[in-house]
């Protein structure tokens, strides 16, 4: 080492000893340039000062800080909003469920189940029996400890038709759910399911207190306590000081509002009235990226905004009409013009290319107006008019509807767009019209997706599709432990959905959210936007 290098090293070592002083400068609001000038004035070279300032700034940005309050805007509000996780239906409900409650497991960035309320989940008898052991350090917000009775009650209530749980089809195979000790639960399935831990990571599977029926407030185990809840207006969450995850949460308060109008959400963020907003369409991305104090947050995965043609009545009961509609979608135009490239072309089946079970060999359905015209004429519905329901609750549905409308005009099919508000869409319009747009968040696994949305008894079987072969394949794949055999089952299932369901999936869309720069801690979780709606315990303000 040369003498000059040794002197420089001593300067760097001296500066490193002052790291706390540099960090404090960043906390006081000093810029990177301010810190560099400080170091250079102390005798450090510009190059070394730049390196140290960068390292200190990065460490400052990545260190969670306690304190602060934020306001969050989700993409919808309704008088039917709920604090009952089993009844959660919207982005707003999901966000609150993840704020006030916990699941037995939580899904990470790779959708790998990680233990949360459970300290062990172990299979036996070929994955037909599962034993769950609970943590000992968890308490509900009212101070009572988490017990096996809470888990049994939470899982069993999904089976009650009166609850209307989205989990009903996923919990139905659990023939026996019993407490085998104060902190131990045994689940016996009617058939093996290697994916069972993934089910526990779904929002609606959060654990509630044994016997609770009143959800006017939330008594969960989550990172925040519910101080106020006004359905259709707002909720106020305050830090749970006895949270079982050491060091978390970071914020003092989180106030959540449902704002259905996208322009209003973004305007509130730009004006400084909100710190974090969900669901920003690609057309508004330029407004976000041009603002120096805002950051765009993208989550890639299997989300799709689909056109649904119900098969249990005209015109969808005619297979040729459905095929005509599917061939009318100009998917590449939708990807470029509607989503500005924040999407990948889809193929009328719900497994996206990021999934290990995606079937890339399935021929891509083309945009083909000649085929569309042929099937339309065979259907007997040529030169007729049909309403298509669009809504802000199904993002970009109006833009996609207009593209579809233009294609229909070229082949003698008149689609009239029927615009309905986001408020009440899921309770008043979803699955209640012959043709409508919908919006489906990505799911934790192929099994969950197929079970909830395409299984004949699935709670969200949007197009009322019934296929016995598909149903049997679903059960076979669920019990299959050999990955390649399972892949074969899923490939056939994708083909069946592609060929005969009433669901038209033109693209898989990225989730786009936006936040102020000083909001930290977000990372993409592919089950949905806003960090899979699990942002609350993970974010902090770099004040």
């Amino acid at each position: 080492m040369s003498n000059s290098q040794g002197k420089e090293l001593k300067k760097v070592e001296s500066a490193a000893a002052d790291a706390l002083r540099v960090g404090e400068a960043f906390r006081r609001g000093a810029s990177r340039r301010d810190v560099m000038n400080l170091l250079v004035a102390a005798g450090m070279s510009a190059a070394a000062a730049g390196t140290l300032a960068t390292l200190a700034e990065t460490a400052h940005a990545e260190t969670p800080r306690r304190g602060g309050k934020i306001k969050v805007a989700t993409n919808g509000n309704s008088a039917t909003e709920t604090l009952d996780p089993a009844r959660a239906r919207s982005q707003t409900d999901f966000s609150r469920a993840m704020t006030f409650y916990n699941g037995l497991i939580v899904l990470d960035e790779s959708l790998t189940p990680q233990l949360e309320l459970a300290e062990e989940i172990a299979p036996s008898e070929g994955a037909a029996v599962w034993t769950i052991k609970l943590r000992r350090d968890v308490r509900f917000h009212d101070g009572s400890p988490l017990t096996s009775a809470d888990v049994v009650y939470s899982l069993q209530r999904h089976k009650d038709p009166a609850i209307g749980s989205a989990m009903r089809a996923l919990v139905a195979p659990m023939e026996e759910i019993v407490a085998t000790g104060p902190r131990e639960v045994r689940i016996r399935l009617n058939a093996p399911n290697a994916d069972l831990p993934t089910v526990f990571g779904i929002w609606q599977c959060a654990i509630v207190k044994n016997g609770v029926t009143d959800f006017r407030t939330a008594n969960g185990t989550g990172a925040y306590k519910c101080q106020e809840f006004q359905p259709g207006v707002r909720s106020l969450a305050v830090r749970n000081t006895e949270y079982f995850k050491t060091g978390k949460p970071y914020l003092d308060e989180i106030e959540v509002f449902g704002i259905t109008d996208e322009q209003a959400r973004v305007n509130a963020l730009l004006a400084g009235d909100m710190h974090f907003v969900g669901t920003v369409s690609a057309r508004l991305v330029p407004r976000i990226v041009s603002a120096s104090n805002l950051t765009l947050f993208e989550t890639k995965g299997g989300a799709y905004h689909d056109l649904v043609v119900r098969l249990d009545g005209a015109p969808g009961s005619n297979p040729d009409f459905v095929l005509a509609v599917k061939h009318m979608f100009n998917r590449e135009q939708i990807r470029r013009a509607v989503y500005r490239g924040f999407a990948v072309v889809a193929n009328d089946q719900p497994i996206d290319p990021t999934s290990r079970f995606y079937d890339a060999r399935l021929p891509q359905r083309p945009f083909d107006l000649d085929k569309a015209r042929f099937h339309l004429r065979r259907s007997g519905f040529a030169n007729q008019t049909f309403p298509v329901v669009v809504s802000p609750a199904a993002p970009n549905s109006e833009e996609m509807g207009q593209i579809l409308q233009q294609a229909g005009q070229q082949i003698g099919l008149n689609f009239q767009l029927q615009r309905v508000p986001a408020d009440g869409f899921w309770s008043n319009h979803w699955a209640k019209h012959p043709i409508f747009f919908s919006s489906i968040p990505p799911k934790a696994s192929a099994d969950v997706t197929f079970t909830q949305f395409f299984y004949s008894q699935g709670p969200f079987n949007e197009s009322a599709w019934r296929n016995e072969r598909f149903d049997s394949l679903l059960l076979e794949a669920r019990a299959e432990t050999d990955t390649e055999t399972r892949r074969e089952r899923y490939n056939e299932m994708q083909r069946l959905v592609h060929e005969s369901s009433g669901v038209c999936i033109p693209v898989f869309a990225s989730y786009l959210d936006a936040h102020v720069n000083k909001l930290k801690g977000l990372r993409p979780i592919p089950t949905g936007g806003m960090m899979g709606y699990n942002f609350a315990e993970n974010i902090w303000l770099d004040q």
Side-chain angles (χ1 to χ4, degrees), residues 183-223:
R183 293 183 180 85
E184 185 175 286
V185 175
R186 184 181 68 239
I187 298 175
R188 180 175 296 277
L189 306 175
N190 59 12
N193 183 359
D195 265 353
L196 185 65
T198 300
V199 171
F200 298 141
I202 300 173
W203 312 299
Q204 292 97 335
C205 207
I207 301 303
V208 301
K209 188 175 179 180
N210 181 29
V212 66
T213 57
D214 185 351
F215 288 92
R216 287 176 294 180
T217 189
N219 179 27
T221 60

Side-chain angles (χ1 to χ4, degrees), residues 356-357 361 469 472-494:
R356 59 177 175 153
F357 292 117
R361 299 172 301 174
R469 174 60 179 166
S472 63
L473 285 168
L474 177 66
L475 300 180
E476 291 175 16
R478 185 180 297 159
E480 183 56 64
T481 57
D482 180 76
T483 300
E484 289 308 310
T485 303
R486 200 175 198 189
R487 186 188 312 280
E488 293 174 6
R489 304 288 190 271
Y490 285 142
N491 285 352
E492 185 177 352
M493 292 161 73
Q494 289 172 67

Side-chain angles (χ1 to χ4, degrees), residues 26-28 59-72 224 239 249-255 269 272-276 293-294 514-522 535-543:
F26 277 121
R27 284 190 287 276
R28 290 197 307 267
H60 170 78
E62 293 178 351
T63 302
R65 285 162 177 76
R66 279 289 185 89
K69 306 174 183 180
I70 66 168
K71 293 183 178 180
V72 178
Y224 291 85
R239 184 209 309 271
Y250 307 113
L251 297 170
D252 294 326
E253 292 183 5
I254 300 177
E255 193 171 6
L269 182 68
D273 297 327
M274 294 290 159
H275 299 84
F276 186 23
N293 66 322
L294 301 181
H515 59 87
V516 295
N517 293 343
K518 65 179 181 178
L519 186 70
K520 306 294 183 180
L522 289 167
F535 60 86
E537 72 170 45
N538 294 288
I539 58 177
W540 71 89
L541 285 175
D542 187 12
Q543 299 175 334

Side-chain angles (χ1 to χ4, degrees), residues 199-521:
V199 171
F200 298 141
I202 300 173
W203 312 299
Q204 292 97 335
C205 207
I207 301 303
V208 301
K209 188 175 179 180
N210 181 29
V212 66
T213 57
D214 185 351
F215 288 92
R216 287 176 294 180
T217 189
N219 179 27
T221 60
Y224 291 85
K225 297 182 178 182
C226 181
Q227 181 167 302
E228 182 180 335
F229 173 53
Q230 300 178 54
V233 181
R234 71 165 194 155
S235 63
L236 181 61
V238 297
R239 184 209 309 271
N240 178 6
T241 57
E242 298 179 357
Y243 193 44
F244 64 91
K245 295 184 183 180
T246 303
K248 290 187 175 184
Y250 307 113
L251 297 170
D252 294 326
E253 292 183 5
I254 300 177
E255 193 171 6
V256 173
F257 300 84
I259 302 178
T260 58
D261 183 84
E262 180 196 17
Q263 290 277 5
R265 282 198 306 280
V266 172
N267 287 342
L269 182 68
L270 290 166
D273 297 327
M274 294 290 159
H275 299 84
F276 186 23
V277 300
T279 314
V280 176
S281 69
R283 64 188 176 86
L284 291 184
V285 164
R287 297 188 65 191
I288 301 299
V289 299
S290 64
S292 61
N293 66 322
L294 301 181
T295 298
L296 185 72
F297 180 58
E298 180 182 7
T299 302
K300 298 178 180 179
Y304 58 85
H305 311 303
D306 52 326
L307 179 77
V308 180
V309 183
R310 295 281 298 185
L311 306 182
D312 54 356
S317 54
N318 187 299
D320 278 297
F321 179 86
V322 178
L323 284 173
V325 174
K326 289 180 177 180
H327 281 293
M328 289 167 57
F329 273 103
N330 189 331
R331 301 161 200 270
E332 180 58 29
Q333 181 186 4
I334 290 172
R335 188 190 72 82
R336 287 185 290 102
V338 177
Y339 291 91
R340 272 63 166 186
F342 291 103
V344 297
V345 169
N347 199 17
D348 300 328
Q349 61 82 23
I351 308 303
D352 77 288
T354 66
S355 169
R356 59 177 175 153
F357 292 117
Y358 172 72
D359 185 6
R361 299 172 301 174
L362 184 66
Q364 177 65 51
R365 177 168 282 123
F367 169 57
D368 191 330
L369 290 183
D370 288 335
K371 285 187 177 180
R373 185 180 294 107
F374 168 77
H375 287 292
L376 180 64
R377 288 174 177 170
R378 284 214 330 185
S379 74
F381 290 113
N383 301 312
Q384 294 190 33
T385 300
F386 297 97
V388 176
V389 173
V390 298
S391 171
N396 299 309
S397 59
E398 183 159 355
E399 294 92 330
M400 287 191 288
Q402 290 169 349
I403 292 174
L404 192 67
Q405 191 177 49
Q406 293 167 5
Q409 291 170 354
Q410 299 180 57
I411 65 170
L413 181 58
N414 183 26
F415 280 139
Q416 290 186 341
L417 302 188
Q418 180 181 339
R419 298 168 179 83
V420 302
D423 186 11
F425 172 82
W426 298 105
S427 55
N428 300 327
H429 296 284
W430 177 81
K432 291 179 171 61
H433 300 271
I435 308 174
F436 63 96
F437 275 92
S438 181
S439 179
I440 306 302
K443 298 303 178 184
S445 68
D447 177 72
V448 172
T449 298
F450 283 138
T451 299
Q452 289 193 320
F453 295 94
F454 296 92
Y455 179 50
S456 62
Q457 303 301 317
F460 303 127
N461 186 355
E462 300 184 295
S463 69
W465 186 53
R466 303 286 187 272
N467 188 291
E468 292 183 4
R469 174 60 179 166
F470 178 92
D471 286 357
S472 63
L473 285 168
L474 177 66
L475 300 180
E476 291 175 16
R478 185 180 297 159
E480 183 56 64
T481 57
D482 180 76
T483 300
E484 289 308 310
T485 303
R486 200 175 198 189
R487 186 188 312 280
E488 293 174 6
R489 304 288 190 271
Y490 285 142
N491 285 352
E492 185 177 352
M493 292 161 73
Q494 289 172 67
R495 179 180 59 78
L496 291 171
V497 172
H498 169 88
E499 291 177 349
S500 61
S501 86
V503 172
C504 311
I505 306 174
V507 298
F508 292 106
S510 294
Y511 274 98
L512 301 177
D513 308 313
H515 59 87
V516 295
N517 293 343
K518 65 179 181 178
L519 186 70
K520 306 294 183 180

Side-chain angles (χ1 to χ4, degrees), residues 8-257:
E8 189 63 39
L9 179 59
K10 289 181 180 180
K11 292 179 182 179
V12 173
E13 289 173 343
S14 176
D18 292 333
L20 290 177
R21 181 167 60 89
V22 173
E24 181 59 32
F26 277 121
R27 284 190 287 276
R28 290 197 307 267
S31 68
R32 183 174 180 276
R33 181 180 295 275
D34 293 335
V35 172
M36 281 188 63
N37 290 338
L38 180 68
L39 295 172
V40 170
M44 186 178 292
S45 71
T51 299
L52 186 57
T54 298
L55 292 173
E57 184 178 36
T58 301
H60 170 78
E62 293 178 351
T63 302
R65 285 162 177 76
R66 279 289 185 89
K69 306 174 183 180
I70 66 168
K71 293 183 178 180
V72 178
T74 54
N75 68 356
N77 62 42
S78 170
T80 62
E81 289 171 7
T82 181
L83 293 179
D84 181 351
R87 291 186 167 97
R89 290 291 185 273
S90 66
Q91 182 182 94
T92 309
D93 289 342
F94 300 152
S95 298
R96 288 177 178 142
M98 301 295 277
T99 298
F100 300 129
Y101 302 93
N102 297 101
L104 293 169
I105 68 99
V106 65
L107 300 172
D108 66 13
E109 297 95 318
S110 65
L111 298 184
T112 301
Q114 302 293 338
L115 296 172
E116 193 166 49
L117 294 181
E119 66 178 15
E120 181 183 338
I121 301 179
S124 59
E125 299 184 29
V129 174
W130 293 78
T131 300
I132 302 168
K133 295 182 180 180
L134 302 176
R135 297 177 62 118
R136 295 175 175 268
D137 56 349
V138 180
R139 290 187 176 274
F140 285 93
H141 296 158
D142 66 0
S144 59
L146 173 72
T147 70
S148 53
D150 303 311
V151 174
V152 172
Y153 175 75
S154 297
L155 295 178
Q156 287 284 16
R157 67 192 299 265
H158 293 292
K159 295 185 177 186
D160 182 356
I163 298 295
S165 172
M167 295 289 299
R168 188 180 179 196
L170 295 172
V171 174
M174 302 181 191
E175 289 187 333
E176 180 185 63
I177 308 171
V178 296
T180 51
R183 293 183 180 85
E184 185 175 286
V185 175
R186 184 181 68 239
I187 298 175
R188 180 175 296 277
L189 306 175
N190 59 12
N193 183 359
D195 265 353
L196 185 65
T198 300
V199 171
F200 298 141
I202 300 173
W203 312 299
Q204 292 97 335
C205 207
I207 301 303
V208 301
K209 188 175 179 180
N210 181 29
V212 66
T213 57
D214 185 351
F215 288 92
R216 287 176 294 180
T217 189
N219 179 27
T221 60
Y224 291 85
K225 297 182 178 182
C226 181
Q227 181 167 302
E228 182 180 335
F229 173 53
Q230 300 178 54
V233 181
R234 71 165 194 155
S235 63
L236 181 61
V238 297
R239 184 209 309 271
N240 178 6
T241 57
E242 298 179 357
Y243 193 44
F244 64 91
K245 295 184 183 180
T246 303
K248 290 187 175 184
Y250 307 113
L251 297 170
D252 294 326
E253 292 183 5
I254 300 177
E255 193 171 6
V256 173
F257 300 84

